Short mmCIF file of all heavy atoms in Angstrom, two decimals:
data_model
loop_
_atom_site.label_atom_id
_atom_site.label_comp_id
_atom_site.label_asym_id
_atom_site.label_seq_id
_atom_site.Cartn_x
_atom_site.Cartn_y
_atom_site.Cartn_z
N MET A 6 8.08 -8.87 -15.75
CA MET A 6 6.73 -8.91 -16.24
C MET A 6 6.07 -7.55 -16.01
O MET A 6 6.26 -6.92 -14.98
CB MET A 6 5.94 -10.00 -15.50
CG MET A 6 4.50 -10.07 -15.93
SD MET A 6 3.52 -11.29 -15.03
CE MET A 6 4.31 -12.78 -15.56
N VAL A 7 5.32 -7.12 -16.97
CA VAL A 7 4.63 -5.84 -16.89
C VAL A 7 3.41 -5.97 -15.99
O VAL A 7 2.67 -6.95 -16.07
CB VAL A 7 4.20 -5.38 -18.30
CG1 VAL A 7 3.34 -4.13 -18.23
CG2 VAL A 7 5.41 -5.15 -19.17
N GLY A 8 3.19 -4.99 -15.13
CA GLY A 8 2.01 -4.95 -14.30
C GLY A 8 0.93 -4.12 -14.98
O GLY A 8 1.23 -3.21 -15.74
N ILE A 9 -0.31 -4.45 -14.69
CA ILE A 9 -1.44 -3.73 -15.28
C ILE A 9 -2.39 -3.30 -14.17
O ILE A 9 -2.78 -4.11 -13.33
CB ILE A 9 -2.21 -4.61 -16.29
CG1 ILE A 9 -1.29 -5.01 -17.44
CG2 ILE A 9 -3.46 -3.89 -16.79
CD1 ILE A 9 -1.90 -6.02 -18.38
N LEU A 10 -2.75 -2.04 -14.18
CA LEU A 10 -3.76 -1.50 -13.28
C LEU A 10 -4.96 -1.08 -14.11
O LEU A 10 -4.84 -0.25 -15.00
CB LEU A 10 -3.23 -0.30 -12.48
CG LEU A 10 -4.26 0.39 -11.60
CD1 LEU A 10 -4.77 -0.56 -10.51
CD2 LEU A 10 -3.67 1.66 -10.99
N ILE A 11 -6.09 -1.68 -13.82
CA ILE A 11 -7.34 -1.32 -14.50
C ILE A 11 -8.09 -0.34 -13.61
O ILE A 11 -8.36 -0.63 -12.45
CB ILE A 11 -8.23 -2.56 -14.75
CG1 ILE A 11 -7.50 -3.56 -15.65
CG2 ILE A 11 -9.57 -2.14 -15.35
CD1 ILE A 11 -8.22 -4.89 -15.79
N VAL A 12 -8.40 0.82 -14.14
CA VAL A 12 -9.24 1.80 -13.45
C VAL A 12 -10.53 1.87 -14.26
O VAL A 12 -10.52 2.31 -15.41
CB VAL A 12 -8.57 3.18 -13.36
CG1 VAL A 12 -9.47 4.15 -12.62
CG2 VAL A 12 -7.21 3.07 -12.68
N ALA A 13 -11.61 1.40 -13.65
CA ALA A 13 -12.86 1.28 -14.40
C ALA A 13 -14.05 1.62 -13.49
O ALA A 13 -13.92 1.69 -12.27
CB ALA A 13 -13.00 -0.13 -14.95
N HIS A 14 -15.19 1.77 -14.12
CA HIS A 14 -16.41 2.10 -13.41
C HIS A 14 -16.91 0.90 -12.60
O HIS A 14 -16.99 -0.22 -13.12
CB HIS A 14 -17.49 2.54 -14.39
CG HIS A 14 -18.79 2.86 -13.72
ND1 HIS A 14 -18.97 4.00 -12.98
CD2 HIS A 14 -19.95 2.19 -13.66
CE1 HIS A 14 -20.20 4.02 -12.51
NE2 HIS A 14 -20.82 2.93 -12.91
N GLY A 15 -17.23 1.14 -11.35
CA GLY A 15 -17.86 0.12 -10.51
C GLY A 15 -17.08 -1.18 -10.47
O GLY A 15 -15.89 -1.21 -10.19
N THR A 16 -17.77 -2.27 -10.79
CA THR A 16 -17.16 -3.60 -10.72
C THR A 16 -16.66 -4.09 -12.08
O THR A 16 -16.30 -5.26 -12.22
CB THR A 16 -18.17 -4.62 -10.16
OG1 THR A 16 -19.32 -4.66 -11.03
CG2 THR A 16 -18.61 -4.25 -8.75
N LEU A 17 -16.62 -3.21 -13.07
CA LEU A 17 -16.18 -3.61 -14.41
C LEU A 17 -14.77 -4.18 -14.40
O LEU A 17 -14.49 -5.19 -15.04
CB LEU A 17 -16.26 -2.43 -15.39
CG LEU A 17 -15.76 -2.71 -16.80
CD1 LEU A 17 -16.56 -3.83 -17.46
CD2 LEU A 17 -15.82 -1.45 -17.64
N GLY A 18 -13.85 -3.55 -13.68
CA GLY A 18 -12.47 -4.02 -13.64
C GLY A 18 -12.37 -5.44 -13.10
O GLY A 18 -11.67 -6.28 -13.67
N GLU A 19 -13.06 -5.72 -12.01
CA GLU A 19 -13.03 -7.06 -11.44
C GLU A 19 -13.68 -8.06 -12.39
O GLU A 19 -13.23 -9.20 -12.50
CB GLU A 19 -13.70 -7.09 -10.07
CG GLU A 19 -13.43 -8.37 -9.29
CD GLU A 19 -11.96 -8.67 -9.06
OE1 GLU A 19 -11.20 -7.77 -8.69
OE2 GLU A 19 -11.56 -9.84 -9.27
N SER A 20 -14.71 -7.65 -13.10
CA SER A 20 -15.34 -8.53 -14.08
C SER A 20 -14.39 -8.85 -15.22
O SER A 20 -14.33 -10.00 -15.69
CB SER A 20 -16.61 -7.89 -14.64
OG SER A 20 -17.58 -7.75 -13.62
N LEU A 21 -13.62 -7.87 -15.68
CA LEU A 21 -12.63 -8.10 -16.73
C LEU A 21 -11.56 -9.08 -16.26
O LEU A 21 -11.13 -9.97 -17.00
CB LEU A 21 -12.01 -6.79 -17.18
CG LEU A 21 -12.93 -5.82 -17.91
CD1 LEU A 21 -12.24 -4.47 -18.10
CD2 LEU A 21 -13.35 -6.40 -19.25
N ILE A 22 -11.12 -8.92 -15.01
CA ILE A 22 -10.13 -9.83 -14.46
C ILE A 22 -10.70 -11.24 -14.35
O ILE A 22 -10.03 -12.22 -14.66
CB ILE A 22 -9.62 -9.32 -13.09
CG1 ILE A 22 -8.80 -8.03 -13.30
CG2 ILE A 22 -8.79 -10.39 -12.39
CD1 ILE A 22 -8.41 -7.34 -12.02
N HIS A 23 -11.95 -11.33 -13.95
CA HIS A 23 -12.61 -12.64 -13.86
C HIS A 23 -12.66 -13.30 -15.24
O HIS A 23 -12.38 -14.51 -15.36
CB HIS A 23 -14.02 -12.49 -13.27
CG HIS A 23 -14.77 -13.77 -13.17
ND1 HIS A 23 -14.49 -14.72 -12.23
CD2 HIS A 23 -15.77 -14.26 -13.93
CE1 HIS A 23 -15.30 -15.76 -12.40
NE2 HIS A 23 -16.09 -15.49 -13.42
N CYS A 24 -13.00 -12.56 -16.27
CA CYS A 24 -13.04 -13.10 -17.64
C CYS A 24 -11.66 -13.56 -18.09
O CYS A 24 -11.52 -14.65 -18.66
CB CYS A 24 -13.59 -12.05 -18.61
SG CYS A 24 -15.33 -11.70 -18.40
N ALA A 25 -10.64 -12.76 -17.84
CA ALA A 25 -9.27 -13.13 -18.21
C ALA A 25 -8.86 -14.40 -17.45
O ALA A 25 -8.23 -15.29 -18.04
CB ALA A 25 -8.31 -12.00 -17.91
N SER A 26 -9.22 -14.49 -16.20
CA SER A 26 -8.88 -15.67 -15.40
C SER A 26 -9.55 -16.91 -15.97
O SER A 26 -8.95 -17.99 -16.01
CB SER A 26 -9.32 -15.47 -13.95
OG SER A 26 -8.67 -14.35 -13.38
N HIS A 27 -10.77 -16.76 -16.41
CA HIS A 27 -11.52 -17.88 -16.99
C HIS A 27 -10.85 -18.36 -18.28
O HIS A 27 -10.64 -19.55 -18.48
CB HIS A 27 -12.97 -17.48 -17.25
CG HIS A 27 -13.78 -18.54 -17.90
ND1 HIS A 27 -14.21 -19.66 -17.22
CD2 HIS A 27 -14.21 -18.68 -19.17
CE1 HIS A 27 -14.89 -20.43 -18.04
NE2 HIS A 27 -14.91 -19.85 -19.24
N VAL A 28 -10.48 -17.42 -19.13
CA VAL A 28 -9.86 -17.76 -20.42
C VAL A 28 -8.48 -18.37 -20.21
O VAL A 28 -8.11 -19.35 -20.86
CB VAL A 28 -9.78 -16.52 -21.34
CG1 VAL A 28 -8.93 -16.78 -22.56
CG2 VAL A 28 -11.18 -16.07 -21.74
N LEU A 29 -7.69 -17.80 -19.30
CA LEU A 29 -6.32 -18.24 -19.09
C LEU A 29 -6.20 -19.43 -18.13
O LEU A 29 -5.14 -20.04 -18.06
CB LEU A 29 -5.48 -17.07 -18.56
CG LEU A 29 -5.36 -15.87 -19.50
CD1 LEU A 29 -4.67 -14.72 -18.80
CD2 LEU A 29 -4.62 -16.27 -20.77
N GLY A 30 -7.24 -19.71 -17.38
CA GLY A 30 -7.21 -20.81 -16.44
C GLY A 30 -6.67 -20.43 -15.07
O GLY A 30 -6.62 -21.26 -14.16
N ALA A 31 -6.22 -19.19 -14.90
CA ALA A 31 -5.71 -18.69 -13.63
C ALA A 31 -5.72 -17.17 -13.67
O ALA A 31 -5.68 -16.58 -14.76
CB ALA A 31 -4.30 -19.19 -13.36
N ARG A 32 -5.75 -16.56 -12.51
CA ARG A 32 -5.71 -15.10 -12.47
C ARG A 32 -4.33 -14.62 -12.92
O ARG A 32 -3.31 -15.09 -12.42
CB ARG A 32 -6.00 -14.59 -11.06
CG ARG A 32 -6.05 -13.07 -10.98
CD ARG A 32 -6.33 -12.62 -9.55
NE ARG A 32 -6.25 -11.19 -9.46
CZ ARG A 32 -7.27 -10.38 -9.19
NH1 ARG A 32 -8.45 -10.90 -8.97
NH2 ARG A 32 -7.11 -9.08 -9.12
N PRO A 33 -4.30 -13.70 -13.88
CA PRO A 33 -3.00 -13.18 -14.34
C PRO A 33 -2.24 -12.51 -13.19
O PRO A 33 -2.83 -11.85 -12.34
CB PRO A 33 -3.38 -12.14 -15.39
CG PRO A 33 -4.75 -12.53 -15.84
CD PRO A 33 -5.41 -13.13 -14.63
N GLN A 34 -0.93 -12.72 -13.18
CA GLN A 34 -0.10 -12.09 -12.17
C GLN A 34 0.03 -10.60 -12.47
O GLN A 34 -0.10 -10.17 -13.61
CB GLN A 34 1.29 -12.71 -12.16
CG GLN A 34 1.30 -14.16 -11.75
CD GLN A 34 2.71 -14.73 -11.78
OE1 GLN A 34 3.65 -14.10 -12.23
NE2 GLN A 34 2.83 -15.94 -11.28
N ARG A 35 0.29 -9.84 -11.44
CA ARG A 35 0.58 -8.41 -11.57
C ARG A 35 -0.57 -7.67 -12.27
O ARG A 35 -0.35 -6.83 -13.12
CB ARG A 35 1.90 -8.19 -12.27
CG ARG A 35 3.02 -9.06 -11.67
CD ARG A 35 4.40 -8.55 -11.78
NE ARG A 35 4.63 -7.20 -11.35
CZ ARG A 35 4.69 -6.80 -10.07
NH1 ARG A 35 4.51 -7.64 -9.11
NH2 ARG A 35 4.93 -5.54 -9.78
N LEU A 36 -1.80 -8.00 -11.89
CA LEU A 36 -2.99 -7.37 -12.44
C LEU A 36 -3.89 -6.96 -11.28
O LEU A 36 -4.33 -7.79 -10.50
CB LEU A 36 -3.73 -8.35 -13.36
CG LEU A 36 -5.06 -7.90 -13.95
CD1 LEU A 36 -4.89 -6.62 -14.77
CD2 LEU A 36 -5.65 -9.01 -14.80
N LEU A 37 -4.10 -5.66 -11.17
CA LEU A 37 -4.95 -5.11 -10.11
C LEU A 37 -6.00 -4.19 -10.73
O LEU A 37 -5.88 -3.79 -11.89
CB LEU A 37 -4.10 -4.31 -9.12
CG LEU A 37 -3.02 -5.10 -8.37
CD1 LEU A 37 -2.16 -4.15 -7.53
CD2 LEU A 37 -3.64 -6.15 -7.47
N GLN A 38 -7.00 -3.86 -9.93
CA GLN A 38 -8.04 -2.96 -10.42
C GLN A 38 -8.54 -2.04 -9.32
O GLN A 38 -8.42 -2.36 -8.14
CB GLN A 38 -9.19 -3.78 -11.01
CG GLN A 38 -9.99 -4.60 -10.01
CD GLN A 38 -11.15 -3.82 -9.39
OE1 GLN A 38 -11.72 -2.93 -10.01
NE2 GLN A 38 -11.49 -4.15 -8.16
N ILE A 39 -9.06 -0.92 -9.75
CA ILE A 39 -9.75 0.03 -8.86
C ILE A 39 -11.11 0.29 -9.49
O ILE A 39 -11.19 0.65 -10.67
CB ILE A 39 -9.00 1.37 -8.72
CG1 ILE A 39 -7.65 1.18 -8.08
CG2 ILE A 39 -9.83 2.36 -7.92
CD1 ILE A 39 -6.83 2.46 -7.97
N GLY A 40 -12.14 0.10 -8.71
CA GLY A 40 -13.49 0.41 -9.17
C GLY A 40 -13.86 1.81 -8.71
O GLY A 40 -13.77 2.13 -7.52
N VAL A 41 -14.27 2.64 -9.65
CA VAL A 41 -14.59 4.04 -9.35
C VAL A 41 -16.07 4.28 -9.67
O VAL A 41 -16.57 3.82 -10.70
CB VAL A 41 -13.72 5.00 -10.20
CG1 VAL A 41 -14.03 6.44 -9.89
CG2 VAL A 41 -12.25 4.70 -9.99
N THR A 42 -16.74 5.00 -8.79
CA THR A 42 -18.14 5.36 -9.03
C THR A 42 -18.27 6.89 -9.05
O THR A 42 -17.32 7.61 -8.71
CB THR A 42 -19.07 4.79 -7.95
OG1 THR A 42 -18.83 5.47 -6.72
CG2 THR A 42 -18.88 3.29 -7.77
N ILE A 43 -19.43 7.35 -9.37
CA ILE A 43 -19.70 8.78 -9.42
C ILE A 43 -19.55 9.42 -8.04
O ILE A 43 -19.30 10.62 -7.92
CB ILE A 43 -21.10 9.06 -10.01
CG1 ILE A 43 -21.24 10.52 -10.36
CG2 ILE A 43 -22.18 8.57 -9.08
CD1 ILE A 43 -22.44 10.85 -11.20
N HIS A 44 -19.66 8.62 -7.00
CA HIS A 44 -19.58 9.13 -5.63
C HIS A 44 -18.15 9.23 -5.11
O HIS A 44 -17.93 9.79 -4.04
CB HIS A 44 -20.41 8.25 -4.70
CG HIS A 44 -21.84 8.13 -5.14
ND1 HIS A 44 -22.73 9.17 -5.11
CD2 HIS A 44 -22.51 7.08 -5.67
CE1 HIS A 44 -23.89 8.78 -5.58
NE2 HIS A 44 -23.79 7.51 -5.93
N ASP A 45 -17.19 8.67 -5.85
CA ASP A 45 -15.79 8.69 -5.41
C ASP A 45 -15.15 10.04 -5.68
O ASP A 45 -15.41 10.68 -6.70
CB ASP A 45 -14.99 7.59 -6.11
CG ASP A 45 -15.38 6.21 -5.62
OD1 ASP A 45 -15.58 6.04 -4.41
OD2 ASP A 45 -15.50 5.31 -6.47
N ASP A 46 -14.30 10.45 -4.78
CA ASP A 46 -13.56 11.70 -4.90
C ASP A 46 -12.24 11.43 -5.62
O ASP A 46 -11.42 10.66 -5.13
CB ASP A 46 -13.29 12.26 -3.50
CG ASP A 46 -12.57 13.59 -3.51
OD1 ASP A 46 -12.14 14.06 -4.59
OD2 ASP A 46 -12.41 14.16 -2.42
N PRO A 47 -12.03 12.04 -6.79
CA PRO A 47 -10.77 11.83 -7.52
C PRO A 47 -9.53 12.13 -6.68
O PRO A 47 -8.50 11.48 -6.84
CB PRO A 47 -10.87 12.79 -8.71
CG PRO A 47 -12.33 13.00 -8.90
CD PRO A 47 -12.92 12.92 -7.52
N ALA A 48 -9.63 13.07 -5.76
CA ALA A 48 -8.50 13.41 -4.90
C ALA A 48 -8.11 12.23 -4.00
O ALA A 48 -6.97 12.16 -3.53
CB ALA A 48 -8.83 14.63 -4.05
N LEU A 49 -9.04 11.32 -3.76
CA LEU A 49 -8.74 10.12 -2.96
C LEU A 49 -8.36 8.94 -3.84
O LEU A 49 -7.59 8.07 -3.42
CB LEU A 49 -9.94 9.77 -2.09
CG LEU A 49 -10.38 10.83 -1.08
CD1 LEU A 49 -11.64 10.38 -0.35
CD2 LEU A 49 -9.26 11.11 -0.10
N ILE A 50 -8.91 8.88 -5.04
CA ILE A 50 -8.65 7.76 -5.95
C ILE A 50 -7.23 7.82 -6.52
O ILE A 50 -6.55 6.80 -6.62
CB ILE A 50 -9.68 7.73 -7.09
CG1 ILE A 50 -11.09 7.47 -6.54
CG2 ILE A 50 -9.31 6.67 -8.14
CD1 ILE A 50 -11.27 6.14 -5.85
N VAL A 51 -6.77 9.00 -6.89
CA VAL A 51 -5.44 9.13 -7.51
C VAL A 51 -4.33 8.63 -6.58
O VAL A 51 -3.48 7.83 -7.02
CB VAL A 51 -5.19 10.57 -7.99
CG1 VAL A 51 -3.75 10.77 -8.41
CG2 VAL A 51 -6.13 10.92 -9.14
N PRO A 52 -4.28 9.02 -5.31
CA PRO A 52 -3.24 8.46 -4.44
C PRO A 52 -3.33 6.94 -4.29
O PRO A 52 -2.31 6.25 -4.24
CB PRO A 52 -3.47 9.15 -3.10
CG PRO A 52 -4.22 10.39 -3.43
CD PRO A 52 -5.06 10.05 -4.62
N GLN A 53 -4.54 6.43 -4.27
CA GLN A 53 -4.74 4.98 -4.18
C GLN A 53 -4.19 4.31 -5.45
O GLN A 53 -3.51 3.28 -5.36
CB GLN A 53 -6.22 4.66 -4.00
CG GLN A 53 -6.52 3.19 -3.88
CD GLN A 53 -8.02 2.93 -3.77
OE1 GLN A 53 -8.84 3.83 -3.80
NE2 GLN A 53 -8.37 1.66 -3.66
N ALA A 54 -4.47 4.89 -6.60
CA ALA A 54 -3.98 4.35 -7.87
C ALA A 54 -2.45 4.40 -7.92
O ALA A 54 -1.81 3.44 -8.35
CB ALA A 54 -4.59 5.11 -9.04
N LEU A 55 -1.87 5.49 -7.48
CA LEU A 55 -0.41 5.62 -7.48
C LEU A 55 0.24 4.58 -6.56
O LEU A 55 1.29 4.02 -6.88
CB LEU A 55 0.01 7.03 -7.08
CG LEU A 55 -0.33 8.12 -8.09
CD1 LEU A 55 -0.03 9.50 -7.51
CD2 LEU A 55 0.43 7.90 -9.39
N LYS A 56 -0.39 4.31 -5.44
CA LYS A 56 0.12 3.29 -4.52
C LYS A 56 0.11 1.91 -5.20
O LYS A 56 1.08 1.15 -5.09
CB LYS A 56 -0.73 3.26 -3.26
CG LYS A 56 -0.31 2.22 -2.25
CD LYS A 56 -1.20 2.25 -1.03
CE LYS A 56 -0.82 1.13 -0.06
NZ LYS A 56 -1.73 1.09 1.09
N LEU A 57 -0.96 1.61 -5.92
CA LEU A 57 -1.04 0.33 -6.62
C LEU A 57 -0.05 0.25 -7.77
O LEU A 57 0.53 -0.81 -8.01
CB LEU A 57 -2.47 0.08 -7.11
CG LEU A 57 -3.50 -0.15 -6.01
CD1 LEU A 57 -4.90 -0.26 -6.60
CD2 LEU A 57 -3.16 -1.38 -5.19
N VAL A 58 0.17 1.36 -8.47
CA VAL A 58 1.16 1.38 -9.55
C VAL A 58 2.55 1.10 -8.98
O VAL A 58 3.32 0.32 -9.55
CB VAL A 58 1.13 2.73 -10.30
CG1 VAL A 58 2.35 2.90 -11.19
CG2 VAL A 58 -0.15 2.83 -11.12
N ARG A 59 2.88 1.71 -7.86
CA ARG A 59 4.17 1.44 -7.22
C ARG A 59 4.28 -0.02 -6.80
O ARG A 59 5.34 -0.63 -6.90
CB ARG A 59 4.38 2.37 -6.03
CG ARG A 59 4.74 3.79 -6.43
CD ARG A 59 5.19 4.62 -5.23
NE ARG A 59 4.13 4.81 -4.24
CZ ARG A 59 3.21 5.77 -4.29
NH1 ARG A 59 3.23 6.65 -5.28
NH2 ARG A 59 2.30 5.87 -3.35
N GLN A 60 3.18 -0.59 -6.35
CA GLN A 60 3.16 -2.00 -5.97
C GLN A 60 3.40 -2.90 -7.18
O GLN A 60 4.08 -3.92 -7.08
CB GLN A 60 1.81 -2.32 -5.33
CG GLN A 60 1.65 -3.74 -4.85
CD GLN A 60 0.28 -3.97 -4.24
OE1 GLN A 60 -0.38 -3.05 -3.77
NE2 GLN A 60 -0.17 -5.21 -4.25
N LEU A 61 2.86 -2.51 -8.32
CA LEU A 61 3.02 -3.31 -9.55
C LEU A 61 4.37 -3.11 -10.21
O LEU A 61 4.84 -3.97 -10.94
CB LEU A 61 1.92 -2.93 -10.56
CG LEU A 61 0.50 -3.37 -10.21
CD1 LEU A 61 -0.50 -2.67 -11.11
CD2 LEU A 61 0.39 -4.87 -10.34
N ASP A 62 5.03 -1.99 -9.96
CA ASP A 62 6.29 -1.65 -10.62
C ASP A 62 7.42 -2.55 -10.15
O ASP A 62 7.73 -2.60 -8.97
CB ASP A 62 6.63 -0.19 -10.35
CG ASP A 62 7.87 0.28 -11.08
OD1 ASP A 62 8.34 -0.44 -11.99
OD2 ASP A 62 8.38 1.35 -10.74
N GLN A 63 8.03 -3.24 -11.09
CA GLN A 63 9.18 -4.09 -10.78
C GLN A 63 10.49 -3.37 -11.10
O GLN A 63 11.55 -3.92 -10.89
CB GLN A 63 9.12 -5.41 -11.54
CG GLN A 63 8.02 -6.31 -11.07
CD GLN A 63 8.05 -7.65 -11.77
OE1 GLN A 63 8.50 -7.77 -12.90
NE2 GLN A 63 7.57 -8.67 -11.08
N GLY A 64 10.41 -2.17 -11.65
CA GLY A 64 11.59 -1.38 -11.91
C GLY A 64 12.33 -1.67 -13.18
O GLY A 64 13.33 -1.02 -13.49
N THR A 65 11.89 -2.63 -13.96
CA THR A 65 12.56 -2.92 -15.22
C THR A 65 11.53 -3.09 -16.32
O THR A 65 10.39 -3.46 -16.08
CB THR A 65 13.39 -4.22 -15.14
OG1 THR A 65 12.50 -5.30 -14.81
CG2 THR A 65 14.47 -4.13 -14.09
N ALA A 66 11.95 -2.80 -17.51
CA ALA A 66 11.11 -3.01 -18.68
C ALA A 66 11.98 -3.51 -19.82
O ALA A 66 13.11 -3.05 -19.97
CB ALA A 66 10.39 -1.73 -19.09
N CYS A 67 11.48 -4.40 -20.58
CA CYS A 67 12.23 -4.91 -21.73
C CYS A 67 11.35 -4.75 -22.96
O CYS A 67 10.26 -5.31 -23.03
CB CYS A 67 12.60 -6.37 -21.53
SG CYS A 67 13.45 -7.07 -22.95
N TRP A 68 11.78 -3.97 -23.88
CA TRP A 68 11.04 -3.74 -25.12
C TRP A 68 11.68 -4.54 -26.25
O TRP A 68 11.79 -4.08 -27.36
CB TRP A 68 10.99 -2.26 -25.44
CG TRP A 68 10.33 -1.48 -24.35
CD1 TRP A 68 10.97 -0.79 -23.37
CD2 TRP A 68 8.94 -1.36 -24.10
NE1 TRP A 68 10.03 -0.24 -22.52
CE2 TRP A 68 8.78 -0.57 -22.94
CE3 TRP A 68 7.80 -1.85 -24.72
CZ2 TRP A 68 7.55 -0.26 -22.41
CZ3 TRP A 68 6.57 -1.54 -24.19
CH2 TRP A 68 6.44 -0.75 -23.05
N CYS A 69 12.15 -5.74 -25.91
CA CYS A 69 12.84 -6.61 -26.88
C CYS A 69 11.87 -7.22 -27.85
O CYS A 69 10.83 -7.62 -27.53
CB CYS A 69 13.58 -7.72 -26.16
SG CYS A 69 14.60 -7.16 -24.80
#
């Protein structure tokens, strides 16, 4: 299964996940988010995002 990382402003990512959970009836698996604000340092956000991408990566992809 493909993992998805949402990088969005403030709480938008969590709101999108909440909407998807409502529509689907459960929180989608392998879906994470990072909320970024104007006060966040990109030098700190990028390593955090890379850590989450590695967490989501299952090492395989099927484009069948």
Side-chain angles (χ1 to χ4, degrees):
M6 178 183 295
V7 174
I9 298 172
L10 175 63
I11 299 172
V12 180
H14 179 73
T16 60
L17 177 60
E19 193 57 45
S20 295
L21 292 171
I22 292 172
H23 179 74
C24 290
S26 300
H27 177 74
V28 170
L29 297 172
R32 184 180 174 114
Q34 295 179 352
R35 312 207 51 75
L36 175 59
L37 298 174
Q38 68 88 30
I39 296 177
V41 181
T42 69
I43 193 168
H44 305 291
D45 290 318
D46 182 353
L49 299 176
I50 296 297
V51 170
Q53 181 183 0
L55 291 173
K56 179 180 176 184
L57 292 175
V58 167
R59 284 190 296 274
Q60 181 180 336
L61 289 167
D62 184 13
Q63 291 184 332
T65 60
C67 177
W68 300 99
C69 311

